[in-house]
Amino acid sequence: MSSQELPRRIPLIVAGAFFMQVLDGAIINTSLPQMAASFGVQALDLSLGVTIYMLAVAAFIPASGWLADRHGSRNVFAAAILIFSLASLACGMADSLPAFVAARALQGVGGALMTPVGRMVVLRNTSKAGLLQATALITWPALIAPVFGPALGGFITTYASWRWNFLINLPLGAIGLALVLRYIPNLREEARRRFDGRGFLLAAGALVLLLHGLESVGRAGADLIVAAVCCAIGGLLGVAALRHFRRADEPLLALSAFAAPTFTLSTLSGGFFYRIAISATPFLLPLLFQIGFGLNPWQSGLMILAYFAGNLGMKTVTTPLLRRFGFRQVLVGNGVLGALAIAACGLLQADTPGWIAAALLVAAGLTRSMQLTALSTLTFADTEPRQRSSASTLSSMVQQVSMILGVAVAALVMKLSQALHGADAPLLADFRNAFLVVGLIGLLAALRFLRLAPDAGAEVSGQVARQAA
């Protein structure tokens, strides 16, 4: 194998592990009624299995970078795959709700290590010139799995058993583990840092409370006062964690990556708020089609397929467009178009011609895919090798918050709009208001990227090479 083939293979191996993780989350909702019947509980009780996974991910993400530095990124990534696979086996073998919840919590530990450490594996084995292509490879699981996940989960649940939705991870995990141990070098930091226990507790506590509070907002019947208290305490812990990381001699997470404008803009600021808009859209669309239009789940799924088809369609032209126009023009121009497409989804009616609805959904998917790839690549364009461990962990933490916040914002706008006219069920006007607010957030976020330098990330996008040629 040539020296060039190995680096290209590494992002594909990492992408395969990501696909297993995202697919698992995409198919679980299709089998909740059957699982509830097996456990002798109500279907709504199974939401605890979804929540506990999210909270376990939030609790252990802050430690992922330190573990990779201490034990090597390959070893920790392999351990993440092994933990996730064994926990999937436990989920598939569970015979009660408590056993299932415990297995899902363990699965969350594997998921917490998999995403940031997998990204770290790619960063440590990829040059800046190859970062754009590598990032495009590791983002495809988030685009493909939501398309096939619900259909695959429904098929498996109907013709086999819901347990196989989890057991399918065993061969996938075994193949991934073998490839990781065979092809990925075990890179680690030479300097051994002590574990920052105080920083870990502050960061983990902040994430768990923030995400639990935000996730509660999106659930029907949730106590908004309790959710607000969780968010407030989580925010205070987050501030305390940041102060600790700035002052500690050996912090769990170094904040030096925020000195790079590209990292700050793509992780916080514009990137954070645009991800809110991106995350809210897949939450709102199925509700619009099923509640607003009265479509059944299968018809709604076909409509959503157009949205995710747009996600996949953009992959072939993302790299050429970034090389031609650069990050600044793409993030601003594509971001504005994406925000307008999101807002326009609120104008859809049940009698809107199918081709118009499909074209709008494809456009929204195209711009979503482009923006996600550009943001994910720009995040690490100017980070130094010594910063990448903390940068990857920080990026994963912020993304978790933005994704849950997107759903919470959309749900809250829907609830407030519905309360204004006192209806028992959401009306089309409520969906229109939600899409409008989310689109406005995306628009303002896109304009934040005007602060980028015209040549920001040029070495990564390939503009330097193109201009030199």
Side-chain angles (χ1 to χ4, degrees):
M1 182 183 303
S2 70
S3 60
Q4 291 184 341
E5 289 175 336
L6 186 60
R8 280 199 297 267
R9 184 163 295 188
I10 289 175
L12 285 172
I13 294 172
V14 173
F18 286 179
F19 180 77
M20 176 181 68
Q21 181 183 7
V22 179
L23 183 67
D24 183 87
I27 66 178
I28 185 174
N29 289 331
T30 62
S31 54
L32 291 183
Q34 291 76 12
M35 294 168 63
S38 297
F39 298 152
V41 298
Q42 298 296 317
L44 289 178
D45 295 334
L46 267 297
S47 65
L48 181 59
V50 178
T51 302
I52 197 67
Y53 176 87
M54 178 196 70
L55 297 182
V57 169
F60 285 91
I61 275 183
S64 60
W66 182 87
L67 288 170
D69 288 343
R70 173 62 67 91
H71 301 289
S73 52
R74 181 199 64 189
N75 287 349
V76 176
F77 189 58
I81 295 175
L82 180 61
I83 292 171
F84 192 88
S85 301
L86 292 178
S88 297
L89 173 62
C91 287
M93 300 295 291
D95 57 2
S96 66
L97 180 60
F100 176 73
V101 170
R104 283 288 286 174
L106 182 61
Q107 207 178 26
V109 175
L113 300 178
M114 196 178 300
T115 300
V117 177
R119 189 183 295 117
M120 204 180 306
V121 165
V122 173
L123 291 172
R124 288 179 172 176
N125 292 278
T126 305
S127 65
K128 279 194 174 184
L131 187 58
L132 177 57
Q133 183 180 14
T135 303
L137 288 174
I138 64 174
T139 54
W140 68 260
L143 305 179
I144 294 180
V147 178
F148 297 105
L152 178 61
F155 179 85
I156 291 174
T157 302
T158 301
Y159 296 103
S161 166
W162 65 264
R163 298 182 186 277
W164 283 100
N165 286 330
F166 296 98
L167 298 179
I168 195 175
N169 290 335
L170 293 178
L172 295 177
I175 294 171
L177 185 61
L179 292 174
V180 167
L181 296 176
R182 172 65 178 84
Y183 291 110
I184 295 179
N186 191 40
L187 303 179
R188 70 180 78 195
E189 291 294 323
E190 295 182 3
R192 296 174 69 88
R193 295 180 292 131
R194 66 175 180 84
F195 185 70
D196 178 13
R198 182 181 180 187
F200 170 74
L201 291 176
L202 287 172
L207 271 181
V208 168
L209 287 172
L210 269 174
L211 294 187
H212 179 62
L214 292 173
E215 189 269 341
S216 298
V217 173
R219 282 192 278 112
D223 190 329
L224 295 183
I225 295 179
V226 173
V229 170
C230 287
C231 290
I233 297 176
L236 291 175
L237 288 177
V239 172
L242 291 175
R243 293 185 59 171
H244 170 76
F245 293 146
R246 283 198 296 264
R247 297 176 179 180
D249 294 330
E250 293 183 322
L252 179 68
L253 298 172
L255 304 181
S256 58
F258 287 113
T262 50
F263 183 81
T264 302
L265 274 169
S266 56
T267 303
L268 300 176
S269 187
F272 178 81
F273 288 100
Y274 207 93
R275 283 189 173 94
I276 289 176
I278 286 176
S279 301
T281 307
F283 167 75
L284 287 171
L285 285 174
L287 296 178
L288 172 66
F289 296 143
Q290 294 185 46
I291 298 177
F293 294 178
L295 302 180
N296 61 42
W298 170 249
Q299 293 169 323
S300 172
L302 292 178
M303 297 289 287
I304 299 296
L305 189 62
Y307 177 67
F308 285 109
N311 280 263
L312 298 178
M314 180 57 77
K315 279 302 174 188
T316 58
V317 297
T318 296
T319 299
L321 286 175
L322 283 170
R323 286 177 176 168
R324 172 66 180 85
F325 297 103
F327 283 102
R328 183 175 185 268
Q329 291 190 60
V330 166
L331 286 170
V332 174
N334 179 78
V336 169
L337 292 176
L340 294 177
I342 290 172
C345 288
L347 301 178
L348 293 174
Q349 304 281 340
D351 58 355
T352 300
W355 69 269
I356 293 180
L360 177 58
L361 292 172
V362 168
L366 289 170
T367 52
R368 175 182 186 264
S369 176
M370 171 65 80
Q371 204 76 355
L372 276 178
T373 300
L375 286 172
S376 299
T377 307
L378 185 64
T379 297
F380 304 101
D382 296 320
T383 55
E384 301 296 330
R386 61 182 176 81
Q387 299 173 325
R388 288 176 177 173
S389 172
S390 292
S392 180
T393 304
L394 288 166
S395 175
S396 295
M397 291 167 61
V398 174
Q399 286 181 35
Q400 287 287 319
V401 175
S402 64
M403 288 189 295
I404 301 298
L405 184 57
V407 175
V409 167
L412 187 58
V413 173
M414 288 281 294
K415 290 178 180 179
L416 291 176
S417 179
Q418 186 178 340
L420 288 177
H421 52 69
D424 295 330
L427 303 177
L428 282 179
D430 302 323
F431 288 102
R432 187 177 302 116
N433 292 335
F435 278 111
L436 179 62
V437 170
V438 171
L440 181 60
I441 291 173
L443 178 63
L444 295 176
L447 296 179
R448 290 286 295 173
F449 293 109
L450 289 170
R451 301 186 62 182
L452 282 172
D455 61 346
E459 186 179 353
V460 172
S461 66
Q463 274 194 305
V464 170
R466 186 177 64 83
Q467 291 171 359

